[in-house]
Amino acid sequence: MTEVIRIAHDGVAVLLERPEQGLPRVLHWGADPGELTAEDGRALSAALSPQTPPGTLDAAWQLSLLPDESEGWSGRPGAELGRGEGPLHPHWRVTRLDVEPSAATIDAIADGLRLRTLIRIAHGVVTLAHEVVNTGDTALDIGWIEATLPVPKRADHLTTFSGRWSREKAPLTTPAPRGSVARQSRRGRPGHDSPYVQILSAGTPRNRSGELWAVHVAWSGDTTWRTDRTPDAVQLLGGGELLRPAEVRLSPGEAYRTPEVVFVHSSEGLDGLSARFHRRLRARPRHPRPPRPLVLNTWEAVYFDHDPVRLKRLADRAAEVGIERFVLDDGWFQGRHDDTTSLGDWIPDDAVWPEGLRDLADHVHGLGLQFGLWFEPEMVSLDSDVARANPDWLLHDPAHLEADPRLSWRTQYVLDLANPAAYAHVRDRMSELIGTLGIDFVKWDHNRDLIEPLHDGRPGTHAQTLAAYALMDELRERHPGLEIESCSSGGARSDLGVLDHTDRVWASDSNDPVERQEIQRWTQLMLPPELVGGHVGPTRSHSSGRTTDLSFRLATSLMGSAGFEWDLLTLTDEEVATVARFAALYRELRSVIHGGVAVHPDLDDPAWRVSGAVAADAAEAVFTVAAVSTIEDARPAPIPLPGLDPAARYRVRVRDDIGLPEHGWVTPEWLRNGEVVLPGSVLRDVGLQFPVFWPDQAIVLHLTAAPEAPGLP
């Protein structure tokens, strides 16, 4: 007799049916239908069953946790396994099924194989992972093992992401593709064009309404993202690690565990999706708790021109305006005057720092600032002492490296961290500097794809990714309190896998605020703003050449983990005063932005960008309203402010600390007054009238519940 098992948490459930043979089938993933009796379970199984026993393969079917040809499944298999004699088609037999209210562990065996599947639901987020043990007598090759869950076919649109350097997280929505479709990343890192999150939705997705199902592969190496929409089965959504031939070959007794694949259902549009992702991340024990400091990173201020006297003056100016963390970027180590040399040595340049790098670190700490330092631990330059002494430490085929120097990318190569000696070299150099300089923060960069990565004669991306994770963890264990930012030539490694080992991601090398409005919005679809670095660059962006007002750049940075990449010594007195006011504003509002619920109204005019954060108790909120192009109508439609308590009254205050937006000649009365008090229901359902902003302008609104003062003007 079949059994239906329900695991659920926070309004989301997975319903599993345990058949007499094979792995459990997934009957449902999505909104929680509530408690089911044994009779309800049997009735549900009958209601969804495609046919009655004996049930051959020529009828529609429900699919198991690892769909396979043995189920009659003609789409992409959930797993591809093989031994030297050929492919395997395991016929699994469940040996144990442990069920908790929000979790299930399933053990199964087949000839020469043992499988464990882990399903967990927390804060409405489902995580799924598989582990396979080779119990046979010969080697087992893992082609792939992927996680999938079913999605109703009314979810007929697919949203995914792509991009490039300085333009990450660009969304694209299309009708859900027919057939079994796999999108793969073979860059050794997720890449600027990573799918990031794949979303199936009923119609095109909206911010505040509509049902959708999403998947994210929490892995920082090669990945596969899949949808299966065939005419004779349920629709599947899923993904997993992409493995090259023979990359994972298990000897008898060895095991392979997949990365976690994260599934999120929302019945409240994209903001509902974000709310679940954000709650899960904020509940982690290692989620950064102290207020996110205001940062100055030196890259766009000085590039490779490291002058200790000037950098001390820059730190002085940073402290003067309210910066809390000073980060010295690339160029501090021996021989590093451009991007062609010295990666991997990690020795401070005595010619540049005659008093030692500690002199700058002590100066920064003496100002009351945290001190951060840039590293690129996974990379090496051929023109470096470490590469000359250890050519076998490179993650490349030696024959191809010698014959084809084009394997260089940005004139750098990859250091094989899965080589214990190379790992120990980088760990010890970094650990010594972190300890002796009192480094509080590491900007951990990764500026190139892995091309033909070869470790011990086999593809090496899997081992390299695990080694990078291990190095991050070991450094944090050696140096409690150390924070790490994942930077990968911008946002090319901003997945949940790396965020299990780091404290922040650098969303993009573009600090152009027009581009950043998009990049930060979509990065924050999954990651809460406190994890997403967003900095203010110079007036003219180095990545786009665009010139923008300081107020627009500041308002854009405010809605993330804020900072600057700008030579603050070049500022006018007026700009210095504005930056100091911004620093005070950021410190005042960051508890709401970094702990509140992210909200985005649905708007018809594509020129508007509105981002909000509403405190958990809805007593306070921050909104930025921006225009990134010409407003379509001379009288724009009022803009609603979602997420507020409809029963509360709110004082809406214009924060002109950083300046006001330039706009057309008509100014609404409330904006001229600088504030207005209205019920939350009115702000949510009717909205506020805004003038015709000029392109590349923004305003910051601060809302506080004011039930005690209903008579305020």
Side-chain angles (χ1 to χ4, degrees):
M1 180 179 295
T2 61
E3 175 188 7
V4 173
I5 299 155
R6 168 183 169 268
I7 58 174
H9 188 262
D10 197 21
V12 169
V14 174
L15 302 183
L16 302 173
E17 178 186 40
R18 179 175 180 176
E20 295 179 0
Q21 299 179 23
L23 294 174
R25 301 166 183 151
V26 186
L27 300 183
H28 169 77
W29 157 52
D32 184 5
E35 294 285 349
L36 299 174
T37 66
E39 183 178 349
D40 291 335
R42 288 191 292 271
L44 176 63
S45 176
L48 296 179
S49 174
Q51 61 178 334
T52 57
T56 57
L57 299 181
D58 56 355
W61 50 85
Q62 299 290 348
L63 296 176
S64 75
L65 288 162
L66 278 179
D68 186 72
E69 289 181 41
S70 63
E71 303 170 38
W73 171 236
S74 60
R76 180 180 174 87
E80 186 174 87
L81 309 173
R83 298 193 189 273
E85 58 270 21
L88 298 178
H89 296 286
H91 286 234
W92 299 104
R93 179 171 63 84
V94 173
T95 59
R96 185 172 71 102
L97 203 165
D98 287 346
V99 179
E100 303 171 26
S102 59
T105 302
I106 300 121
D107 288 340
I109 58 173
D111 289 342
L113 300 170
R114 186 167 71 244
L115 172 71
R116 170 164 287 183
T117 298
L118 303 169
I119 307 174
R120 302 287 185 268
I121 308 179
H123 306 284
V125 175
V126 180
T127 56
L128 205 161
H130 301 288
E131 182 180 67
V132 166
V133 180
N134 181 12
T135 59
D137 299 326
T138 59
L140 174 69
D141 282 330
I142 307 293
W144 68 74
I145 304 174
E146 294 167 356
T148 61
L149 287 178
V151 174
K153 285 191 174 177
R154 66 177 179 275
D156 57 358
H157 280 70
L158 176 68
T159 298
T160 188
F161 292 84
S162 186
R164 60 171 175 82
W165 177 79
S166 79
R167 199 174 185 275
E168 295 89 335
K169 311 296 188 296
L172 176 67
T173 299
T174 62
R178 270 42 177 180
S180 294
V181 177
R183 183 175 167 194
Q184 298 182 322
S185 172
R186 296 174 179 266
R187 298 181 178 274
R189 55 177 177 168
H192 297 94
D193 59 343
S194 167
Y196 190 55
V197 180
Q198 285 206 150
I199 304 167
L200 284 169
S201 59
T204 56
R206 295 180 63 78
N207 288 328
R208 301 294 299 171
S209 62
E211 196 171 16
L212 52 84
W213 295 258
V215 67
H216 172 78
V217 180
W219 181 245
S220 307
D222 293 338
T223 50
T224 295
W225 305 69
R226 56 180 287 174
T227 57
D228 298 83
R229 189 179 176 94
T230 63
D232 50 4
V234 297
Q235 181 170 227
L236 292 183
L237 181 67
E241 181 181 10
L242 185 156
L243 297 170
R244 313 292 179 97
E247 183 163 8
V248 173
R249 174 170 288 165
L250 303 181
S251 298
E254 290 185 332
Y256 165 74
R257 178 165 177 169
T258 70
E260 283 191 338
V261 179
V262 180
F263 297 87
V264 182
H265 169 263
S266 169
S267 58
E268 297 177 333
L270 295 168
D271 280 355
L273 175 73
S274 295
R276 294 195 185 280
F277 270 126
H278 294 183
R279 283 198 297 270
R280 176 183 181 268
L281 285 164
R282 286 170 173 165
R284 298 174 302 159
R286 286 173 60 170
H287 191 76
R289 305 296 174 194
R292 297 296 81 208
L294 188 63
V295 177
L296 173 65
N297 185 279
T298 65
W299 179 242
E300 291 187 47
V302 301
Y303 295 101
F304 288 107
D305 185 13
H306 284 202
D307 173 6
V309 173
R310 182 172 179 80
L311 284 164
K312 284 184 179 180
R313 289 178 54 218
L314 186 60
D316 293 341
R317 173 60 58 84
E320 174 190 339
V321 299
I323 300 294
E324 298 162 303
R325 174 183 284 165
F326 182 92
V327 181
L328 185 65
D329 210 291
D330 193 1
W332 56 266
F333 46 101
Q334 186 171 289
R336 186 69 166 179
H337 308 302
D338 55 39
D339 63 0
T340 64
T341 71
S342 305
L343 289 173
D345 289 342
W346 309 122
I347 299 172
D349 194 329
D350 291 339
V352 175
W353 307 98
E355 304 297 323
L357 192 54
R358 174 142 188 194
D359 183 52
L360 176 64
D362 287 347
H363 183 79
V364 170
H365 284 138
L367 293 168
L369 278 61
Q370 296 179 14
F371 180 68
L373 196 61
W374 179 94
F375 291 90
E376 196 169 3
E378 295 147 89
M379 301 298 155
V380 66
S381 304
L382 290 188
D383 184 6
S384 66
D385 292 342
V386 67
R388 282 186 285 269
N390 305 280
D392 57 323
W393 285 7
L394 273 65
L395 189 66
H396 301 277
D397 185 330
H400 288 183
L401 186 64
E402 182 177 342
D404 190 354
R406 293 175 303 169
L407 287 177
S408 167
W409 178 312
R410 201 173 177 256
T411 60
Q412 65 189 59
Y413 296 80
V414 184
L415 192 68
D416 185 1
L417 290 184
N419 179 314
Y423 177 100
H425 163 79
V426 176
R427 178 201 60 204
D428 293 347
R429 286 284 171 88
M430 291 183 69
S431 185
E432 180 184 2
L433 283 166
I434 292 167
T436 58
L437 300 180
I439 293 172
D440 305 286
F441 173 85
V442 167
K443 180 178 179 181
W444 188 301
D445 217 335
H446 183 290
N447 274 309
R448 60 157 291 168
D449 292 351
L450 308 190
I451 306 299
E452 296 186 8
L454 202 67
H455 169 75
D456 287 346
R458 283 159 52 183
T461 298
H462 175 80
Q464 178 80 354
T465 304
L466 293 177
Y469 288 166
L471 180 58
M472 293 172 183
D473 289 345
E474 188 169 356
L475 289 171
R476 288 167 59 122
E477 289 165 7
R478 288 186 174 201
H479 305 281
L482 176 70
E483 292 195 2
I484 298 174
E485 175 185 69
S486 172
C487 172
S488 188
S489 48
R493 187 162 67 178
S494 52
D495 57 279
L496 295 184
V498 80
L499 269 167
D500 279 342
H501 311 275
T502 58
D503 304 276
R504 185 173 109 138
V505 301
W506 181 232
S508 178
D509 282 346
S510 173
N511 288 316
D512 177 337
V514 175
E515 299 295 336
R516 272 287 183 155
Q517 284 282 334
E518 293 296 290
I519 293 165
Q520 289 177 196
R521 190 273 178 269
W522 294 114
T523 304
Q524 292 174 16
L525 177 69
M526 183 172 73
L527 307 183
E530 65 268 25
L531 299 182
V532 181
H535 291 183
V536 178
T539 304
R540 186 176 189 268
S541 169
H542 84 142
S543 60
S544 69
R546 196 192 320 262
T547 298
T548 51
D549 290 348
L550 178 56
S551 61
F552 184 51
R553 306 200 308 276
L554 293 169
T556 301
S557 175
L558 178 68
M559 299 307 286
S561 182
F564 291 84
E565 301 224 6
W566 191 12
D567 185 355
L568 300 183
L569 297 174
T570 65
L571 272 58
T572 65
D573 290 345
E574 181 181 353
E575 288 173 330
V576 169
T578 301
V579 168
R581 289 194 299 272
F582 171 78
L585 181 68
Y586 175 71
R587 289 193 296 272
E588 177 187 351
L589 301 181
R590 64 186 166 191
S591 63
V592 178
I593 297 168
H594 296 166
V597 178
V599 294
H600 304 82
D602 287 301
L603 302 171
D604 294 328
D605 191 328
W608 290 117
R609 298 291 182 274
V610 181
S611 295
V614 180
D617 62 0
E620 192 174 4
V622 179
F623 284 85
T624 59
V625 180
V628 297
S629 60
T630 302
I631 302 299
E632 182 174 322
D633 291 331
R635 195 278 192 184
I639 291 178
L641 304 181
L644 304 175
D645 180 354
R649 294 178 65 84
Y650 289 90
R651 181 189 185 198
V652 183
R653 190 173 150 215
V654 176
R655 298 305 301 258
D656 59 1
D657 315 54
I658 60 175
L660 292 172
E662 300 282 353
H663 60 82
W665 57 90
V666 176
T667 303
E669 183 178 351
W670 76 270
L671 184 56
R672 189 181 303 277
N673 292 337
E675 65 176 54
V676 68
V677 175
L678 284 168
S681 57
V682 173
L683 294 167
R684 181 193 65 183
D685 299 332
V686 179
L688 290 173
Q689 179 66 58
F690 286 84
V692 178
F693 282 13
W694 292 359
D696 307 343
Q697 300 290 322
I699 195 170
V700 177
L701 304 179
H702 183 198
L703 282 67
T704 50
E708 73 288 350
L712 282 174

